[in-house]
Amino acid sequence: MDSFELNKILGAVLGTCLLLLVTSFTANALFTPKPLEKPGFEIAVKEDAGHGKEGGAAAAASEPIEKLLQTASVEKGASAAKKCGACHTFEKGGPNRVGPNLYGVVGEKRGEGRGGFNFSAAMKGKGGTWTFDDLNKFIANPKGFIPGTAMGFAGIAKDSERADVIAYLNSLSEHPQPLPTASK
């Protein structure tokens, strides 16, 4: 191979590099992205009118839980409670998961017991017992009923589905609580 052929090969390589460089500059000039006004993405979140207020969940409920429990179905509640099964267990003596075991929770003290489950400070501070009405408010909007709770579930918006779940939770006990009667 003589020097003339070597110059042709090097010239072709150099010409190819120059062509790629010019193409790159042209593409960057044509397709330059516009800088964002502020970094990141905006995430649209539905505002909750009752968020942060203790009575916020109660305002969302259209009918009292006593009336809804009269037509509640334990079978439908067992089906609806499957979404809770990712974090909770329901059988007697069942293990705690991310959330506590829910067997016999109706009428029990809030933030205590449950096989040594470590409740959030907000849940412990709330005190009291789990009544039908309190469960209804909590299941509708956990963070609205107990601000600061560690429960990340958004809640069950449908009244009848909440009543079914509460009826199911009430049935999970050796001594289920009597269902309240609807006042006129």
Side-chain angles (χ1 to χ4, degrees):
M1 177 184 326
D2 63 358
S3 64
F4 184 68
E5 286 184 27
L6 183 62
N7 283 342
K8 286 194 302 186
I9 292 171
L10 289 176
V13 169
L14 183 62
T16 304
C17 289
L18 285 173
L19 181 66
L20 289 174
L21 190 61
V22 168
T23 305
S24 174
F25 287 145
T26 305
N28 281 336
L30 292 175
F31 303 108
T32 302
K34 296 177 185 174
L36 299 174
E37 292 176 11
K38 59 181 183 176
F41 295 99
E42 185 175 336
I43 300 174
V45 178
K46 181 178 143 186
E47 289 294 323
D48 183 12
H51 187 69
K53 298 177 187 170
E54 188 169 320
S62 61
E63 293 187 60
I65 190 63
E66 294 82 8
K67 184 176 179 184
L68 293 167
L69 284 172
Q70 300 305 312
T71 58
S73 165
V74 173
E75 292 78 24
K76 287 181 183 176
S79 178
K82 287 182 181 177
K83 62 180 90 173
C84 307
C87 299
H88 298 281
T89 57
F90 299 98
E91 64 274 359
K92 181 178 181 178
N96 293 320
R97 290 187 182 161
V98 174
N101 175 280
L102 296 178
Y103 183 86
V105 73
V106 178
E108 291 290 318
K109 293 187 180 209
R110 251 188 303 249
E112 295 180 18
R114 303 279 111 201
F117 183 77
N118 186 21
F119 289 96
S120 66
M123 182 68 77
K124 290 176 186 174
K126 182 75 171 179
T129 60
W130 284 116
T131 64
F132 291 108
D133 192 44
D134 286 349
L135 279 169
N136 183 42
K137 292 174 186 174
F138 185 70
I139 294 172
N141 183 358
K143 294 202 183 288
F145 184 65
I146 302 179
T149 184
M151 186 163 154
F153 184 63
I156 299 174
K158 191 174 178 186
D159 291 344
S160 61
E161 186 178 358
R162 263 195 328 273
D164 292 339
V165 170
I166 293 168
Y168 172 65
L169 290 175
N170 187 49
S171 72
L172 300 176
S173 174
E174 291 179 13
H175 307 290
Q177 300 285 319
L179 293 178
T181 56
S183 58
K184 305 238 177 190

